Amino acid sequence: MEQHGLVMVYTGNGKGKTTAALGLGLRAIGAGQRVLLVQFMKGDPSYSELKGIAFLPGFEVVQTGLHHWVTKEQVSLLDRMEAQRGMNVARNAFVEERHELVILDELNCAIDYGLIPETDVLELLSHRPQFMSVCITGRGAPSLLMDVADMVSEVIEVKHHFHQGIPAQKGIEF
Ligand code: ATP
Ligand code: MG
């Protein structure tokens, strides 16, 4: 059966978008496929998922973003350049055609924060090789992206332990 690539989006305010995308990556590796994870606005190399991914041959990671928390009011030129670097990595992957799945983690946030123009993402997706799947995560997916996607899941926050005062937990959040 010929591989039919899909554009998939995980958005919404609830927890589970990045972990869902990583789960997709795990499944793809199990299927003998190659995966590229490009992270936007995540410069911290100590995330446990990166250590887990290191056990998986064929699962490549490129992190972009500085080692600090970006706020909408304080976007720097370097934040923009880092996000552009992530887009360039994705663009190259589309040309090289080495991966069956490309995950663009937190790209929706990078658009929302004005680091990447939405039109650039739509333009990028128009060059997606037919066999390749692309998974985009992050809160606030723009509606035009949701229009072109084949699958959109919105994770709704019903409850989050954060509101009980429980801080981020190793192995669960990072
Ligand atoms: P995860 O990485 O756990 O799958 P996510 O990708 O859905 O979460 P993001 O929107 O990327 O979540 O937010 C990053 C961090 O914020 C996560 O560690 C997550 O636990 C936390 N978070 C997610 N949703 C909420 C929420 N509704 N309230 C407070 N913190 C949240
Ligand atoms: Mg996330």
Side-chain angles (χ1 to χ4, degrees):
M1 192 179 61
E2 201 182 319
Q3 189 73 19
H4 192 105
L6 299 170
V7 176
M8 294 170 275
V9 174
Y10 290 117
T11 192
N13 290 337
K15 171 171 161 59
K17 302 172 292 290
T18 295
T19 42
L22 293 172
L24 206 54
L26 181 67
R27 181 174 282 162
I29 291 294
Q33 300 177 357
R34 283 144 303 179
V35 178
L36 172 65
L37 166 65
V38 184
Q39 292 191 313
F40 291 84
M41 299 168 71
K42 281 187 177 171
D44 183 347
S46 68
Y47 287 114
S48 302
E49 52 266 43
L50 303 184
K51 293 170 190 158
I53 287 169
F55 289 107
L56 302 174
F59 202 139
E60 292 168 44
V61 181
V62 175
Q63 268 196 319
T64 70
L66 304 173
H67 206 136
H68 72 94
W69 193 254
V70 185
T71 61
K72 265 191 191 174
E73 296 72 35
Q74 284 182 314
V75 167
S76 71
L77 180 62
L78 269 181
D79 293 320
R80 283 210 177 81
M81 285 169 65
E82 276 296 286
Q84 277 303 332
R85 185 166 69 82
M87 286 292 283
N88 290 341
V89 170
R91 239 174 243 121
N92 283 340
F94 282 24
V95 173
E96 288 175 8
E97 303 194 352
R98 281 193 303 114
H99 306 89
E100 281 85 356
L101 173 64
V102 173
I103 302 169
L104 305 173
D105 186 34
E106 312 303 349
L107 180 56
N108 292 335
C109 302
I111 298 169
D112 188 35
Y113 278 57
L115 302 183
I116 302 282
E118 179 183 351
T119 48
D120 284 14
V121 175
L122 298 174
E123 198 264 341
L124 172 74
L125 290 177
S126 73
H127 299 295
R128 176 178 65 87
Q130 198 266 330
F131 74 91
M132 185 187 280
S133 288
V134 176
C135 178
I136 298 176
T137 83
R139 294 162 189 234
S143 56
L144 289 178
L145 172 60
M146 294 201 276
D147 286 346
V148 303
D150 299 293
M151 189 227 69
V152 179
S153 285
E154 182 178 7
V155 185
I156 294 170
E157 182 195 320
V158 176
K159 270 184 164 185
H160 195 288
H161 43 277
F162 177 76
H163 302 298
Q164 283 182 61
I166 301 173
Q169 300 293 301
K170 189 169 186 176
I172 294 179
E173 339 273 1
F174 64 91

